[in-house]
């Protein structure tokens, strides 16, 4: 490689094409390391020499426009999305580490995957048929939240006649207008913040509102208000269970407001999905799911501040709702030979219960 210029062989176009050719999900760029790609959840080194600081910087800067360049220089990190002709669409994050520029780039499929392709069960697909309410899709970074949400929005788009407004940072999946009209707004490009866009959305005749990420108290307040006033609201949060999601929302408010917030949640909440993507023994990755569909008992527990009892209510109230716990999802995947028992134990939030299921102590869940 030349000292200050990245040779074409190692240019972003070819690196991202290599990512797509290998059906990878992410490309990582950093100095003192060869570029790395994530395939089925694991990082692999590309067969190139380690990058110097100037090469890492040049690669990351090669896909920024002038405005993004200035914003990155000012804020030291930047989220954005972009498309490369003949290669694909990507979400990027460039940042500084040890005074050098680095980046992570995620592939976004051109077409929104269908619920069937994702393996989403009927109770989750049914959220797209609601007329109003609040549906939260939760999980860690890389768990597929954005893809699940995009699939649900696509279902609404195909089957309903209304206005869908999405607020994203950045826009990932691009939705065409079908039976619905889809308005997609990107934070910092089309609006100044999630909260400002959400407040404005309430005046834009929406039927469905999608909030790409709930980050602050004002956004939570507006999200609850939108659902309370008869809109169908989808949003994502970085939590790992239905109970932790509810605790995160309630604890975001001052103590004197928490009783009112619990009442709002009991009235508006239509579902919480928590998900994890894990490598499958059959190739690729498989989705592990927790699905909560609030019944009368769960709504009362929310209202009465007995959130710690919701997990038990999820176990016993499944006959008509399609609810499932993460352990039940893990156990089913073991039975279907998608994952190993050790793998399931590492992923479980309640490993002692899962072990009881393995040992047949919870009869109705045994193989």
């Amino acid at each position: 490689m030349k000292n200050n210029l990245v040779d074409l062989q190692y240019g972003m176009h070819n690196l991202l094409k290599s990512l797509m050719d290998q059906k990878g999900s992410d490309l990582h760029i950093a100095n003192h390391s060869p570029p790395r790609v994530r395939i089925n959840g694991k990082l692999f080194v590309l067969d190139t020499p380690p990058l110097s600081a100037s090469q890492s910087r040049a690669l990351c800067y090669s896909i920024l426009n002038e405005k993004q360049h200035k914003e990155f220089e000012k804020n030291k990190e930047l989220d954005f999305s972009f498309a490369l002709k003949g290669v694909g669409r990507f979400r990027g994050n460039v940042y500084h580490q040890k005074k050098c520029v680095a980046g992570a780039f995620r592939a976004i499929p051109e077409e929104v995957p269908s619920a069937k392709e994702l393996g989403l069960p009927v109770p989750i697909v049914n959220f797209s048929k609601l007329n109003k309410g609040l549906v939260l899709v939760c999980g860690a970074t890389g768990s597929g939240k954005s893809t699940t949400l995009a699939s649900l929005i696509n279902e609404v788009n195909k089957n309903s006649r209304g206005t869908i407004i999405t607020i994203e940072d950045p826009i990932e999946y691009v939705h065409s207008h079908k039976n619905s009209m889809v308005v997609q707004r990107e934070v910092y490009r089309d609006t100044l913040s999630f909260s400002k866009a959400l407040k404005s959305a309430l005046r834009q005749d929406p039927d469905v509102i999608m909030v790409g990420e709930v980050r602050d108290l004002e956004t939570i307040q507006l999200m609850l208000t939108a659902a309370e006033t008869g809109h169908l609201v989808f949003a994502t949060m970085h939590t790992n269970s239905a109970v932790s999601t509810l605790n995160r929302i309630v604890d975001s408010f001052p103590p004197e407001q928490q009783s009112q917030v619990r009442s709002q949640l009991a009235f508006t909440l239509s579902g919480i999905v928590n998900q994890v993507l894990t490598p499958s023994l059959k190739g690729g990755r498989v989705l592990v799911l927790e699905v909560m569909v609030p019944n009368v008992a769960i709504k009362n527990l929310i209202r009465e501040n007995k959130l710690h009892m919701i997990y038990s209510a999820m176990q016993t109230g499944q006959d008509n709702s399609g609810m499932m716990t993460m352990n039940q999802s893990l156990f089913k995947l073991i039975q279907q030979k998608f994952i190993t028992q050790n793998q399931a134990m590492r992923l479980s939030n309640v490993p002692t219960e899962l072990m009881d299921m393995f040992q047949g102590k919870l009869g109705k869940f045994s193989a």
Side-chain angles (χ1 to χ4, degrees):
M1 295 187 187
K2 298 178 182 178
N3 187 32
N4 293 317
L5 295 175
V6 180
D7 190 280
L8 258 180
Q9 181 183 358
Y10 304 108
M12 283 297 290
H13 185 282
N14 283 5
L15 289 173
L16 290 168
K17 187 174 186 308
S18 176
L19 173 73
M20 300 300 284
D21 289 344
Q22 297 181 70
K23 294 180 169 49
S25 60
D26 300 84
L27 168 70
H28 290 268
I29 300 293
N31 61 305
H32 302 316
S33 170
R36 298 170 188 251
V37 295
R38 187 178 295 277
I39 302 171
N40 295 331
K42 296 182 179 180
L43 276 183
F44 295 90
V45 176
L46 292 179
D47 187 19
T48 67
L51 299 169
S52 68
S54 62
Q55 290 164 343
S56 175
R57 176 188 177 93
L59 281 169
C60 293
Y61 273 40
S62 69
I63 51 175
L64 301 182
N65 60 35
E66 185 177 350
K67 182 179 178 182
Q68 290 169 334
H69 185 168
K70 290 178 179 178
E71 185 178 342
F72 175 59
E73 291 289 337
K74 177 183 177 182
N75 297 321
K76 301 296 184 183
E77 51 204 350
L78 177 71
D79 280 316
F80 60 105
S81 59
F82 63 100
L84 290 179
K85 188 175 181 179
V87 180
R89 184 171 174 80
F90 304 90
R91 183 182 76 195
N93 179 280
V94 289
Y95 56 96
H96 284 84
Q97 62 96 23
K98 298 179 181 177
K99 297 183 179 180
C100 298
V101 177
F105 306 91
R106 172 158 297 174
I108 303 171
E110 294 284 347
E111 297 293 327
V112 179
S114 68
K116 184 177 181 180
E117 289 171 327
L118 295 178
L120 299 181
V122 171
I124 294 179
V125 179
N126 285 343
F127 292 144
S128 69
K129 301 176 182 178
L130 297 171
N131 293 318
K132 60 182 179 180
L134 173 63
V135 177
L136 300 170
V137 179
C138 308
T141 300
S143 61
K145 300 186 300 296
S146 297
T147 304
T148 294
L149 212 52
S151 183
L152 291 175
I153 291 297
N154 192 48
E155 288 294 316
V156 178
N157 192 13
K158 289 188 301 182
N159 300 313
S160 300
R161 293 187 179 274
T163 303
I164 302 168
I165 297 176
T166 76
I167 307 164
E168 304 172 68
D169 179 24
I171 291 173
E172 297 188 27
Y173 291 92
V174 176
H175 295 271
S176 59
H177 306 298
K178 296 178 182 175
N179 280 327
S180 290
M181 182 175 78
V182 186
V183 176
Q184 295 187 261
R185 305 192 68 199
E186 182 167 300
V187 177
Y188 306 122
R189 188 185 70 180
D190 304 313
T191 181
L192 295 178
S193 68
F194 279 104
S195 58
K196 285 183 180 295
L198 189 46
K199 188 181 296 183
S200 179
L202 295 176
R203 305 186 190 98
Q204 294 163 0
D205 187 33
D207 298 282
V208 178
I209 301 171
M210 190 272 274
V211 185
E213 186 178 341
V214 177
R215 296 177 178 173
D216 54 64
L217 176 58
E218 187 176 9
T219 302
I220 294 174
Q221 288 174 315
L222 290 165
M223 174 183 75
L224 291 172
T225 298
E228 197 173 35
T229 53
H231 302 90
L232 177 56
V233 179
F234 293 97
T236 71
M237 294 185 70
H238 288 275
T239 47
N240 65 0
S241 71
V243 174
S244 68
T245 301
L246 292 169
N247 278 320
R248 173 78 61 83
I249 292 172
V250 173
D251 290 346
S252 298
F253 289 82
E256 64 272 14
Q257 295 181 27
Q258 291 181 2
S259 177
Q260 178 188 347
V261 171
R262 289 194 299 271
S263 294
Q264 283 183 294
L265 278 169
F267 177 68
T268 62
L269 187 65
S270 297
I272 299 178
V273 178
N274 274 275
Q275 58 185 64
V276 176
L277 280 172
T278 189
S280 169
L281 296 173
K282 299 181 182 182
R285 290 189 290 176
V286 66
L287 197 58
V288 187
L289 293 165
E290 176 193 67
V291 183
M292 187 186 84
V293 184
N295 53 23
V296 173
I298 289 176
K299 286 179 180 289
N300 285 335
L301 291 174
I302 294 172
R303 195 177 290 110
E304 296 166 7
N305 195 24
K306 297 177 179 178
L307 303 184
H308 62 285
M309 298 174 65
I310 286 177
Y311 186 78
S312 294
M314 289 176 62
Q315 294 172 307
T316 58
Q318 300 181 353
D319 291 342
N320 299 318
S321 66
M323 277 191 287
M324 73 172 78
T325 67
M326 189 71 77
N327 275 348
Q328 288 167 338
S329 179
L330 289 166
F331 191 75
K332 183 177 180 180
L333 290 172
I334 293 168
Q335 290 178 310
Q336 296 172 336
K337 302 190 186 307
F338 280 103
I339 61 175
T340 66
Q341 182 172 321
N342 287 339
Q343 192 176 355
M345 289 295 291
R346 290 195 301 270
L347 294 170
S348 176
N349 290 328
V350 192
T352 53
E353 179 196 55
L354 186 58
M355 182 57 69
D356 286 344
M357 294 165 71
F358 293 151
Q359 296 173 353
K361 294 180 182 178
L362 302 176
K364 67 177 181 177
F365 301 128
S366 61

